[in-house]
Short mmCIF file of all heavy atoms in Angstrom, two decimals:
data_model
loop_
_atom_site.label_atom_id
_atom_site.label_comp_id
_atom_site.label_asym_id
_atom_site.label_seq_id
_atom_site.Cartn_x
_atom_site.Cartn_y
_atom_site.Cartn_z
N LEU A 25 -56.59 -72.77 -27.91
CA LEU A 25 -55.68 -73.39 -26.94
C LEU A 25 -55.88 -72.79 -25.56
O LEU A 25 -55.85 -73.49 -24.55
CB LEU A 25 -54.23 -73.23 -27.40
CG LEU A 25 -53.18 -73.93 -26.52
CD1 LEU A 25 -53.48 -75.42 -26.39
CD2 LEU A 25 -51.78 -73.73 -27.09
N LYS A 28 -58.93 -74.23 -23.92
CA LYS A 28 -58.76 -75.62 -23.47
C LYS A 28 -57.82 -75.75 -22.28
O LYS A 28 -57.90 -76.72 -21.53
CB LYS A 28 -58.24 -76.48 -24.63
CG LYS A 28 -59.31 -76.82 -25.66
CD LYS A 28 -58.75 -77.72 -26.74
CE LYS A 28 -59.87 -78.22 -27.66
NZ LYS A 28 -60.74 -79.18 -27.00
N THR A 29 -56.88 -74.81 -22.10
CA THR A 29 -55.85 -74.99 -21.08
C THR A 29 -55.81 -73.89 -20.03
O THR A 29 -55.33 -74.11 -18.92
CB THR A 29 -54.46 -75.06 -21.72
OG1 THR A 29 -54.15 -73.79 -22.33
CG2 THR A 29 -54.39 -76.16 -22.76
N ALA A 39 -46.20 -72.69 -27.59
CA ALA A 39 -46.54 -74.12 -27.64
C ALA A 39 -47.07 -74.51 -29.02
O ALA A 39 -46.71 -75.56 -29.56
CB ALA A 39 -47.56 -74.45 -26.56
N LEU A 40 -47.88 -73.66 -29.60
CA LEU A 40 -48.42 -73.94 -30.94
C LEU A 40 -47.31 -73.94 -31.98
O LEU A 40 -47.32 -74.75 -32.92
CB LEU A 40 -49.49 -72.91 -31.30
CG LEU A 40 -50.86 -73.14 -30.66
CD1 LEU A 40 -51.71 -71.88 -30.74
CD2 LEU A 40 -51.58 -74.31 -31.31
N ALA A 43 -45.47 -77.12 -31.76
CA ALA A 43 -46.30 -78.23 -32.21
C ALA A 43 -46.72 -78.07 -33.67
O ALA A 43 -47.56 -78.83 -34.16
CB ALA A 43 -47.54 -78.34 -31.32
N ASP A 46 -50.46 -77.92 -34.27
CA ASP A 46 -51.32 -79.03 -33.85
C ASP A 46 -51.81 -78.77 -32.42
O ASP A 46 -51.02 -78.71 -31.48
CB ASP A 46 -50.54 -80.35 -33.91
CG ASP A 46 -51.42 -81.55 -33.63
OD1 ASP A 46 -51.93 -81.65 -32.50
OD2 ASP A 46 -51.58 -82.39 -34.52
N LEU A 47 -53.14 -78.64 -32.25
CA LEU A 47 -53.71 -78.27 -30.96
C LEU A 47 -53.42 -79.29 -29.87
O LEU A 47 -52.99 -78.92 -28.76
CB LEU A 47 -55.23 -78.07 -31.11
CG LEU A 47 -55.97 -77.58 -29.87
CD1 LEU A 47 -55.48 -76.21 -29.45
CD2 LEU A 47 -57.47 -77.54 -30.13
N GLU A 48 -53.65 -80.56 -30.14
CA GLU A 48 -53.43 -81.60 -29.11
C GLU A 48 -51.96 -81.70 -28.72
O GLU A 48 -51.62 -81.87 -27.55
CB GLU A 48 -53.95 -82.95 -29.61
CG GLU A 48 -55.46 -83.00 -29.78
CD GLU A 48 -56.21 -82.66 -28.51
OE1 GLU A 48 -55.78 -83.11 -27.43
OE2 GLU A 48 -57.22 -81.93 -28.59
N LYS A 49 -51.05 -81.58 -29.70
CA LYS A 49 -49.62 -81.61 -29.38
C LYS A 49 -49.22 -80.39 -28.56
O LYS A 49 -48.36 -80.46 -27.69
CB LYS A 49 -48.80 -81.69 -30.66
CG LYS A 49 -48.88 -83.04 -31.36
CD LYS A 49 -48.01 -83.09 -32.61
CE LYS A 49 -48.11 -84.46 -33.30
NZ LYS A 49 -47.30 -84.50 -34.54
N ALA A 50 -49.85 -79.24 -28.85
CA ALA A 50 -49.56 -78.03 -28.09
C ALA A 50 -49.98 -78.18 -26.63
O ALA A 50 -49.30 -77.70 -25.72
CB ALA A 50 -50.26 -76.83 -28.73
N ILE A 51 -51.10 -78.87 -26.41
CA ILE A 51 -51.54 -79.15 -25.04
C ILE A 51 -50.49 -79.99 -24.32
O ILE A 51 -50.16 -79.75 -23.14
CB ILE A 51 -52.91 -79.86 -25.04
CG1 ILE A 51 -53.99 -78.90 -25.55
CG2 ILE A 51 -53.27 -80.36 -23.64
CD1 ILE A 51 -55.34 -79.57 -25.77
N GLU A 52 -49.93 -80.98 -25.01
CA GLU A 52 -48.87 -81.81 -24.43
C GLU A 52 -47.65 -80.97 -24.08
O GLU A 52 -47.03 -81.16 -23.03
CB GLU A 52 -48.48 -82.93 -25.39
CG GLU A 52 -49.50 -84.04 -25.51
CD GLU A 52 -48.99 -85.17 -26.39
OE1 GLU A 52 -47.75 -85.30 -26.54
OE2 GLU A 52 -49.82 -85.91 -26.94
N VAL A 53 -47.28 -80.07 -24.99
CA VAL A 53 -46.13 -79.19 -24.74
C VAL A 53 -46.33 -78.42 -23.45
O VAL A 53 -45.44 -78.33 -22.59
CB VAL A 53 -45.92 -78.23 -25.93
CG1 VAL A 53 -44.89 -77.16 -25.56
CG2 VAL A 53 -45.45 -78.99 -27.16
N LEU A 54 -47.51 -77.83 -23.27
CA LEU A 54 -47.80 -77.06 -22.07
C LEU A 54 -47.75 -77.93 -20.82
O LEU A 54 -47.21 -77.54 -19.78
CB LEU A 54 -49.16 -76.38 -22.19
CG LEU A 54 -49.26 -75.23 -23.20
CD1 LEU A 54 -50.70 -74.77 -23.34
CD2 LEU A 54 -48.37 -74.07 -22.79
N ARG A 55 -48.32 -79.12 -20.92
CA ARG A 55 -48.32 -80.02 -19.75
C ARG A 55 -46.92 -80.45 -19.38
O ARG A 55 -46.57 -80.57 -18.20
CB ARG A 55 -49.19 -81.25 -20.05
CG ARG A 55 -50.68 -80.93 -20.15
CD ARG A 55 -51.49 -82.18 -20.17
NE ARG A 55 -51.32 -82.92 -18.92
CZ ARG A 55 -51.60 -84.21 -18.78
NH1 ARG A 55 -52.04 -84.90 -19.81
NH2 ARG A 55 -51.41 -84.81 -17.62
N LYS A 56 -46.06 -80.72 -20.39
CA LYS A 56 -44.70 -81.15 -20.11
C LYS A 56 -43.91 -80.05 -19.41
O LYS A 56 -42.96 -80.32 -18.68
CB LYS A 56 -44.00 -81.58 -21.40
CG LYS A 56 -44.47 -82.93 -21.92
CD LYS A 56 -43.75 -83.33 -23.19
CE LYS A 56 -44.21 -84.70 -23.67
NZ LYS A 56 -43.53 -85.11 -24.91
N THR A 61 -52.92 -75.80 -16.03
CA THR A 61 -53.95 -75.72 -17.06
C THR A 61 -55.31 -75.88 -16.41
O THR A 61 -55.49 -76.62 -15.44
CB THR A 61 -53.77 -76.82 -18.12
OG1 THR A 61 -53.87 -78.10 -17.48
CG2 THR A 61 -52.42 -76.69 -18.81
N LYS A 64 -60.72 -78.41 -19.43
CA LYS A 64 -61.19 -78.07 -20.77
C LYS A 64 -62.62 -77.55 -20.69
O LYS A 64 -63.45 -78.11 -20.01
CB LYS A 64 -61.15 -79.31 -21.68
CG LYS A 64 -59.75 -79.81 -21.99
CD LYS A 64 -59.81 -80.96 -22.95
CE LYS A 64 -58.42 -81.45 -23.30
NZ LYS A 64 -58.45 -82.56 -24.26
N ILE A 235 -45.69 -87.66 -20.27
CA ILE A 235 -46.00 -86.27 -19.93
C ILE A 235 -45.67 -85.99 -18.47
O ILE A 235 -45.05 -84.97 -18.14
CB ILE A 235 -47.48 -85.98 -20.23
CG1 ILE A 235 -47.73 -85.96 -21.73
CG2 ILE A 235 -47.91 -84.64 -19.61
CD1 ILE A 235 -49.19 -85.92 -22.13
#
Side-chain angles (χ1 to χ4, degrees):
L25 184 56
K28 285 182 172 289
T29 66
L40 282 163
D46 186 296
L47 184 62
E48 293 303 319
K49 289 182 180 178
I51 292 172
E52 287 184 23
V53 169
L54 290 173
R55 291 191 62 200
K56 286 181 178 179
T61 61
K64 293 184 178 181
I235 290 170

